[in-house]
Amino acid sequence: FSLFRGTVQHGLPLEIGDTVLFILSPQGIFPCTYIHLKNAHIKNKGQFETVIPTEDSVITEMTTTLRDWGAMWKRLYVKNEGDLFHRLWHVMNEILDLRRQVLVGHLTNDRMKDVKQHITARLDWGNEQLSLDLVPRREFSMVDPDEISVTELFKLMEHRHRKKETPVPASTHHLFVHMKSLMSSNLGEELEVFFHIYDGRENRPLSERFFVRLNKNGVPKSPEKTERQCTLFVDLGSSDLRKDVYIVVHIMRIGRMGAGEKKNLCSIQYRRPFGCAVVSIADLLTADSKDDHLLKVYACTTESEWYQIHENIIRKVNSRYNLSGSNTGLAVSLQLLHGDIEQLRREYMVLFTRGVSITKKLGFSDIIMPGEMRNDLYVTLEKGEFEKGGKSVARNVEITVYVLDIDGQVMKVRSSIPYGEPGGDEYHSFVLYHNNSPRWAEQIKLPIPVDMFRGAHVRFEFRHCSTKDKGEKKLFGYSFIHLMQEDGRTLPDGTHELIIHKCEENANLQDSSRYLKLPFSKANLPGNNQAVKGTKESFWITSFLCSTKLTQNGDMLDLLKWRAHPEKINDSLSKLKEIDGSEIVKFLQDTLDTLFGILDESSQRYGLKVFDCLVHIINLLQDSKFQHFKPVMDTYIESHFAGALSYRDLIKVLKWYVDRIVDAEHQDHIQQVLKATEYIFKYIIQSRRLFALATGGQSEEEFRCCIHELFMSIRFFLSQENKITSPVTQTQAVFLRTFPAVYGELLKIFTVREVAGFVRETLGSLPATAHAECPLETVKLHCITKTVESQLYTNPESRCILLPVVLRLLQAHMQEQRDLVMCARILTSMLSLIRKDDSELVVSEEVDLIVDSLLVVLMRTILEITNRPQPAGTNMRLQFQDITVSVCVWVHGEFVACLLALLRQMSDKHYQQLLQTFTSKDDLRDFLLQIFTVFRILIRPEMFPKDWTVMRLVTNNVIITTVLYLSDALRKNFLNEKFDYKVWDSYFYLSVIFINQPCLQLESFSPSKRKRVLEKYGDMRVMMGCEIFSMWQNLGEHKLNFIPAMIGPFLEVTLVPQPDLRNVMIPIFHDMMDWEQRRSGNFKQVEAKLIDKLDSLMSEGKGDETYRELFNSIIPLFGPYPSLLKKIERETWRESGISLIATVTRLMERLLDYRDCMKLGEVDGKKIGCTVSLLNFYKTELNKEEMYIRYIHKLYELHLKAQNYTEASYTLLLYDELLEWSDRPLREFLNYPMQSEWQRKEYLHLTIVQNFDRGKCWENGIILCRELADQYESYYDYRNLSKMRMMEASLYDKIMDQQRLEPEFFRVGFYGKKFPFFLRNKEFVCRGHDYERLEAFQQRMLNEFPHAIAMQHVNQPDQTIYQAEAQYLQIYAVSPIPESQDVLQRDGVPDNIKSFYKVNHIWRFRYDRPFHKGTKDKENEFKSLWVERTTLTLVQSLPGISRWFEVEKRELVEVSPLENAIEVIENKNLQLRTLIAQCQSRQMQNINPLTMCLNGVIDAAVNGGLARYQEAFFVKDYIVNHPEDGEKIGRLRELMFEQAHILEYGLAVHEKFVPQDMRPLHKKLVDQFHVMKSSLGIQEFPAYVRASPVHFTNGSPRSSCRNSVPNIISPDGARVVARRSPLTYPAVNRYSSSSLSSQASNEVSNITGQSESSDEVFNMQPSPSTSSLSSNHSASPNVTSSAPSSARGSPQLQDKHKHSRENSCLSSRERPVSAIYPNPLDPAQVNTHKQINTQTSTSSLPPFTPSPTECQSAGLVSNSPVLSGSYSSGISSMSRCSVSEASGTEATTGDHPAHQGPTMPNSVSSGSDELIRRENKTPPPYSVYERSNPRRPVPLPHSLSIPPSVDPPALPPKPHQLRTSSMKLVPTSDPRRADGVPHVPRPRPLPRKVSQL
């Protein structure tokens, strides 16, 4: 059972976890196994009621949170955020397990608390990871914001935020040590390892020693007893975690005296030094949490240095130690733990359960805790001086230590051995070999019970350890020392020099009474005992006592024993202040009993001194080291204090001190007395209570009089006005700091009202006027703070007494903006106490007082803080880390919470009273402006941290409630003749930003969160929108004041996707248009503002498709409200209104597309195309120049990011063309500084040239360089002129020296309604990237439109595709038709220059499709093979401001079979001529391309290729049936003869250059050529062919007699295509089934090793069939694209000079004059051309010229057997003409006007039509040629002639006759066609100037 759909009648759809409330019994409704019955209560009964189960709130929170997490958890998986996905999954399972434990209900209270803490910690972690809201909690339960004050809510949020952001660093630290093993190669004896912490700065140990015993293998002896291997060094302070604090490890071996001694009979073992290791604690701070360390072990160079080996290692005195072994290391685990010991027991439970010993710090920790019991005596064996004792060598001294009690019995001190091992009766020191002055520095801990200290002593026995015989230890002396002196003081800390008493080896020392009478220390010897003093032998020890019970201080003992020595009382009381504080707190209770005992017995004599001593002790407990003893004193006062009469003396002395404050010169002691006021009052009150208890309340009036007199004295001294530096002022401050602590004590005896009266009068006595810098002012505020936070103030009775005093002081400080932190704290405490459950009257009175005193000043304070300049790096967000950095920023939130709390408490009555207090309209106006401004501050995003949604919602609820109250005041006081624009404007502005807050956009919330917000607050946006509408309707004619200013803000409101809100706001726009129409007769202002604001708002991501319909649709979208368009249609001005709506709708379509595209990550064509569309819209339709320029720069940035440098240049050129070379100043705009128009245009020119250079479009850069150079020359700026000329020269060099890749072009159709508006149902031509072929381009487009479907046919889509709710892409390659024919056909122009013009500034593109018309002749397909040629004309030339442009016009032409044959042979002849010329001029690196071409042509001709043409077109039937083709048949015959002659000439050239291994092939070609001539019936060439010698110019055959129009097609034989021309074409072109194939061509490919050569090798373009569009076809070697083949762009090809360059030159039509691109209409240029032609014509050998452009191969032919040699001979059913079939479309510009063909009807639009079209439809042309400055004409270069070779026969010239054509254009021709009609330059609209940009 997962869920119930509720599909049955009256069904209720339910999911698991849903709650159902039953009004009646649920029996019989649900199966009982599916449900769980719970008790619940209902909140907010009615429409938005909430059912809350009566279960633990933590369980409820877990349930709702896990539901929210579940949906987000799945989304994490979808987003592939695996790490967080798995961590969240683990935490969710953990929470479910904990929830189960809570539900079971079997947990103890402590365990339940721990479980809830774990639950909330995990809930908070998950919320933080998922960026959910911060949950305010109190004791693990969520807090309802309505149940607590806003100030309390703020404090909870702040506390949780601070806890989350900055965890409080622990002040106590502990070091965990785990001894693992010692690794060494020379073990064999047991070892003792001692750890301790050592201070390298002070050269002293900080801790006790921890001891571990290792066995002979170097591992701990008792591995099962972990406490023997692990310890915790406790109570390290933060100051101990520094670099010069170390862990020192000393290692002793237990065994023979010498480590290398052989085993003998000696069984005695000695403790001997082995090694030492040191590691810094600072190293552990950077290590992992628990790392294993391998410590290096060092040994002494000399054994006598052992005592300081660790110091030598720390100081790195290398000469005194060395490694004990190359592979010796100590393996230990070290970990630093933080927090108090109890916290560690909870967090590391396993550690303590398993067993770990505690190693204490030497002495007390930084904080001494009461109840701590210690009695440890630390003795350090320092050194000894011994005589030889008759020995020839020094002794081996060992010390044995015993502790003996008062009876002389040896005490079994458990830890005489360092902690870690059980102790014994004695302790043996280690032995230093042969050393009479040994230094041990060995520390021993002696934990002696307190009751055994008296009479105990320590004995040290000295033995010589012999290495001979049996190795016995011989006693030769002893020393001893008493632990306690006779007066009860213990052994003082420090170094003691002990006397060594000599004795015999067998001396009996068991009877201690024999030697205890002897002197033990040389310091205590009487002066006459010189014999002992003079002895050389001595022994030094250092002792240190750490005891909570014993003292070494005699003065302390004298005080405690005052009854025994009453004469010393005065001295003892005087000396108490000199005693160390740790000694006093050890005996705190005894000391206090002593003082009050003395006071009771001799109050007159010692009263003052006892009081001073009591003050000293009280102030001692203020020290942080002893502050934990305050509870001890409190306990003493409550339970042990017995001075029932002391209150009289204490009051008397205290009053005596207070009365003398004003006159006293020295205030120090009095200040100390006042610091102790709290505890003095505690003693006074407790003493009085004891007295009253004992006497039944006697002397009550006397006591009250004394207290009143005391407060009178206090008020008198507080009322004194003094200088700031006066000691009395400081004393006043001291009292005020301690005074609030007295309130609680006074309440024990006095009533609440009496105490409140004391406090009010005391605080009221303070001087009212004080200097701002007086420290007393701050202290006053501190006192008020403590008062407000005290128990006294929580009582409503006392609050009404104290509130006026508090408010008066608070108001004064806030008005002067002083001590704002404390003011905020006071105000927060005050407002937190105003509860709803208090009586309404009390709350109302308090709110009245606070509003009257503080509301205005509180708002002013918030404004002041907001307007203050913030420190660098801070913002308005709450900064909790460091209050001192920015107090104003931190306290801002406190004041805001106070304001919100106060406003939430205000009722209607309070608002009425507040508004009545403003006596004048100006005051009310100022108040309203102020509060509206404050509200705008409160709803800023940075006001609260991002996850404080709860706080934001409370804030908004308070704001809207207040605004509803204040709007009435606005209507009543500021309308009609009292209208105030500023107040109303502030109101509307506040309302707008209120609605647009991110925290109120419920659509972005999860469903559960949205439901919670709606249940608690409703949709506050709709409420505010209704209020806006209501207020707007009240304005009347004053509405005109807000038109057009409020259009933008109100438009922003309508962008919120809330139907009700939109319906409320739309009528306001209609109202605005209506009022503006009345005022101005139009609403141009409304339109302008509307458009400007729409752009900025939609760019920010606002608005949607529904929003567009809100303006445009006739049908009401939401409920009863009509759309704006429908409302407008009812008006008299509906036409202009509807026009506005249409414009706005079109703009929104583009803006929505733009926004959606910009959401994508990478720059792609969609982003660029969308930006171009929007840019053009602003320019052509809206004429918004500034927006136009902004989008120019956005497009420029996109191009730069995509590395489209050429397109970036054209884009920036748009802005450049708007500027003139003038000195007009321009303001700062975008990233441009303030500068003159000339400077900005210069900068743009340089930037554009740089980008043209990067895009390898150097020809365009040269034009701009020249224009800049002209400017520099006109200003005589020769320095920059020189630089510009050099730059221009470098660009020329790059043209000649560097290679450029030739791009391919692709036609793309976008069909379907799912495409963006700017693409929808349109076709484009796109310029591909470098090396990008059709397959790659198609894949790129499918990646950009992942939901698109690639159409697998080339037919024109029907309307179902156009209207489909989908995306269809139709892609195929197209061929460019160059415009610059004069450059391409001119002699002497290098190919690497020509190649640029083939693919730059292209307006038209061609695509051919072969088809059969009529009956297909299976024997000869060429009879019926037609070609459908489609020409596409773009709105802009490529390249331009985009890589793609829309197709503006399509032309369809059908080419007859005869014309197709003429084109094929003509192209092949051109290719042969080109290859022969390249070979002859040695431009080829090898001859293979020519070999393959000759072989292909000759082989195809021999096998019947040309003969098929003869059969098809030269037969009688064809000539009779097609009399109009007579001239074309003659032309075909001429071309066939010309081809034969070219082949003969080519074979002669081939013979000259062919390598030896290719000779057989050459011979075969010659033989086949003769066969070919015979097959064609050629015996001799015609005279005109034979008589024509060959002329090569610059290494290439050129023709002076061919003009730029080789094919003007006459209309005679054309067929009109009546059907609609197809819009789409195949993306991959295949040969038709009738295509020719040649086995010979394949053979040549095999021989030469390549199937494709340079661009000229396969110069035919096969016409594509209607094959399907598929990638496998694209990849097939038998499939070729109508785009250039992959061979053309490859840099590995041999003819590298043929690589065409990338991008981009604009049409000569678009420039007035250019030296590089001459205008065909320029007479000078025409004359120049004529001169060149004349010169070349007069030479002896007339040159021949290739066809106007050169075609690229399209790959290998298919292997169809029908027609042989299509690839080889140039006869193909799929041929494309030379790059300018242009032949049939371009006008001549040469010197043969008589040869121009007739003008074709219906083929050319008039120039005027073109002008109108350009002006009306297209944006300004993007051309570098449309410069305003004319260019100086530069003469064209002369041809460089190379004398022809004498050997080969002459090639015929190209025939001059022009062919007529039988092709007819359908339906119109491009105006750029040159059918005898002069070029009409593309008109360019006059550039508009930039409006002061």
Side-chain angles (χ1 to χ4, degrees), residues 276-538:
C276 178
V278 175
V279 62
S280 172
I281 280 196
D283 296 341
L284 304 181
L285 295 175
T286 56
D288 289 339
S289 59
K290 188 173 182 180
D291 274 347
D292 286 347
H293 297 258
L294 188 64
L295 309 182
K296 291 182 179 179
V297 178
Y298 299 95
C300 283
T301 309
T302 57
E303 202 174 76
S304 60
E305 295 286 337
W306 172 258
Y307 73 98
Q308 59 181 7
I309 180 172
H310 52 284
E311 295 178 14
N312 292 332
I313 295 171
I314 290 168
R315 293 198 302 265
K316 298 183 179 177
V317 186
N318 299 332
S319 59
R320 298 189 179 183
Y321 63 88
N322 51 37
L323 282 171
S324 63
S326 59
N327 57 350
T328 302
L330 191 69
V332 294
S333 176
L334 303 173
Q335 183 183 6
L336 269 176
L337 307 176
H338 310 281
D340 60 64
I341 197 73
E342 292 304 319
Q343 180 182 343
L344 294 187
R345 288 185 188 277
R346 290 193 301 271
E347 294 180 3
Y348 300 91
M349 198 177 298
V350 177
L351 193 69
F352 288 91
T353 305
R354 194 177 60 187
V356 61
S357 60
I358 301 296
T359 303
K360 298 179 181 179
K361 209 173 176 183
L362 276 183
F364 292 110
S365 59
D366 293 343
I367 299 173
I368 302 176
M369 299 299 293
E372 183 178 356
M373 295 295 295
R374 287 190 68 176
N375 204 56
D376 301 323
L377 177 64
Y378 300 95
V379 176
T380 304
L381 310 178
E382 294 287 355
K383 61 180 180 178
E385 290 289 340
F386 301 100
E387 296 176 348
K388 286 186 178 180
K391 303 286 184 180
S392 58
V393 293
R395 287 171 164 156
N396 306 321
V397 180
E398 180 192 72
I399 306 174
T400 307
V401 183
Y402 298 93
V403 181
L404 295 92
D405 60 17
I406 192 169
D407 299 324
Q409 300 298 317
V410 176
M411 294 166 51
K412 292 190 176 182
V413 180
R414 181 181 180 277
S415 294
S416 56
I417 296 176
Y419 199 82
E421 286 280 342
D425 298 343
E426 57 193 35
Y427 177 80
H428 298 277
S429 72
F430 62 86
V431 180
L432 296 175
Y433 186 66
H434 286 180
N435 193 336
N436 280 338
S437 300
R439 304 192 70 160
W440 294 276
E442 189 171 12
Q443 186 190 86
I444 310 168
K445 176 184 174 184
L446 303 175
I448 304 169
V450 176
D451 54 346
M452 301 186 71
F453 235 84
R454 181 173 294 278
H457 70 280
V458 181
R459 186 173 71 214
F460 307 93
E461 297 181 1
F462 307 102
R463 289 179 172 79
H464 167 63
C465 303
S466 174
T467 55
K468 297 179 182 179
D469 303 331
K470 296 180 182 181
E472 57 199 13
K473 301 178 182 179
K474 299 179 181 177
L475 178 70
F476 68 86
Y478 65 92
S479 295
F480 68 94
I481 188 167
H482 295 283
L483 298 183
M484 185 175 282
Q485 301 177 23
E486 293 180 2
D487 58 2
R489 288 180 297 158
T490 57
L491 178 68
D493 296 343
T495 303
H496 310 278
E497 183 181 358
L498 304 184
I499 300 169
I500 299 177
H501 298 279
K502 293 187 178 181
C503 64
E504 297 298 326
E505 180 181 342
N506 55 0
N508 184 6
L509 298 178
Q510 291 183 357
D511 185 6
S512 58
S513 58
R514 295 184 178 181
Y515 60 79
L516 283 178
K517 296 177 181 176
L518 299 175
F520 62 89
S521 171
K522 289 192 175 182
N524 297 333
L525 283 176
N528 57 1
N529 199 339
Q530 294 300 323
V532 178
K533 271 192 177 181
T535 178
K536 294 180 179 179
E537 290 193 325
S538 293

Side-chain angles (χ1 to χ4, degrees), residues 214 238 354 482 484 731 1212 1333 1335 1473 1674 1746:
L214 306 181
S238 297
R354 194 177 60 187
H482 295 283
M484 185 175 282
T731 305
L1212 206 55
R1333 297 293 173 257
E1335 295 81 0
R1473 286 173 179 271
S1674 301

Side-chain angles (χ1 to χ4, degrees), residues 817-836:
Q817 298 292 299
R818 289 187 285 114
D819 302 309
L820 292 179
V821 175
M822 294 308 301
C823 290
R825 183 176 166 185
I826 295 168
L827 203 48
T828 299
S829 300
M830 288 167 57
L831 293 167
S832 298
L833 292 171
I834 302 176
R835 305 181 194 281
K836 292 182 179 179

